[in-house]
Amino acid sequence: MRNPARLAILAALVAALVVPALAGDAKKCTASTQDCLDHMTAALKARGWLGVEGEDSDGYFKIKKVVSGSPAETAGIMPGDVLVAVNGTDLAKSEEATLKVMQKALTPGSKVEYSILRGGARTSVTATLASMPEEVMARIIGEHLIADHATVALAKN
């Protein structure tokens, strides 16, 4: 069974583009729209960005897309790679609390060692995380605000 909170942490650890609600795991966000916007903006500005999209794969993170010009591309990460460890910490064997602590240390400029599986072989790559591009940040925040804060009023005829 997939754990949405764990997937969010894994995504954050690899600074993925798809980040579920920072303000409230997989639950409906209870913060005001402005408070949520302020919180998410501050959190995303402090987070390092790798430039990948992916999905949970048995507790690891399978890369689906690598953004052109991103730190991931520079490091040689490719679609199909499976991230199995970050700075020596096995992603599938770690508790969520450990992953959350590690996530906070992944800031722009951080050098991060990723252990990956590629074609059945395990290898390591090092990437220097960048600041999250504004268009990526806007997309993440916009998706959250629409999902958890927007209300739809249907017009009556």
Side-chain angles (χ1 to χ4, degrees), residues 91-144:
L91 298 177
K93 296 178 182 174
S94 298
E95 297 292 324
E96 285 183 31
T98 301
L99 297 175
K100 283 182 181 182
V101 169
M102 188 185 341
Q103 169 191 340
K104 290 182 182 186
L106 300 179
T107 58
S110 298
K111 288 190 183 276
V112 182
E113 182 182 344
Y114 294 97
S115 294
I116 60 173
L117 289 176
R118 179 183 295 153
R122 189 171 179 143
T123 188
S124 293
V125 297
T126 300
T128 302
L129 301 179
S131 295
M132 187 174 290
E134 288 183 14
E135 63 274 8
V136 174
M137 191 181 313
R139 188 182 103 205
I140 292 168
I141 293 170
E143 287 173 357
H144 170 74

Side-chain angles (χ1 to χ4, degrees), residues 16-110:
L17 298 178
V18 180
V19 181
L22 290 173
D25 291 347
K27 300 174 243 167
K28 186 98 171 144
C29 183
T30 59
S32 73
T33 302
Q34 188 61 53
D35 287 346
C36 187
L37 177 62
D38 294 343
H39 172 76
M40 288 187 75
T41 300
L44 291 173
K45 282 184 178 181
R47 178 174 292 167
W49 180 71
L50 182 62
V52 296
E53 291 183 17
E55 64 186 11
D56 182 38
S57 178
D58 295 325
Y60 297 117
F61 194 82
K62 185 172 184 176
I63 303 299
K64 293 291 202 179
K65 178 181 177 184
V66 176
V67 177
S68 179
S70 69
E73 183 183 59
T74 301
I77 295 172
M78 299 186 294
D81 287 348
V82 178
L83 301 180
V84 295
V86 177
N87 288 337
T89 300
D90 188 291
L91 298 177
K93 296 178 182 174
S94 298
E95 297 292 324
E96 285 183 31
T98 301
L99 297 175
K100 283 182 181 182
V101 169
M102 188 185 341
Q103 169 191 340
K104 290 182 182 186
L106 300 179
T107 58
S110 298

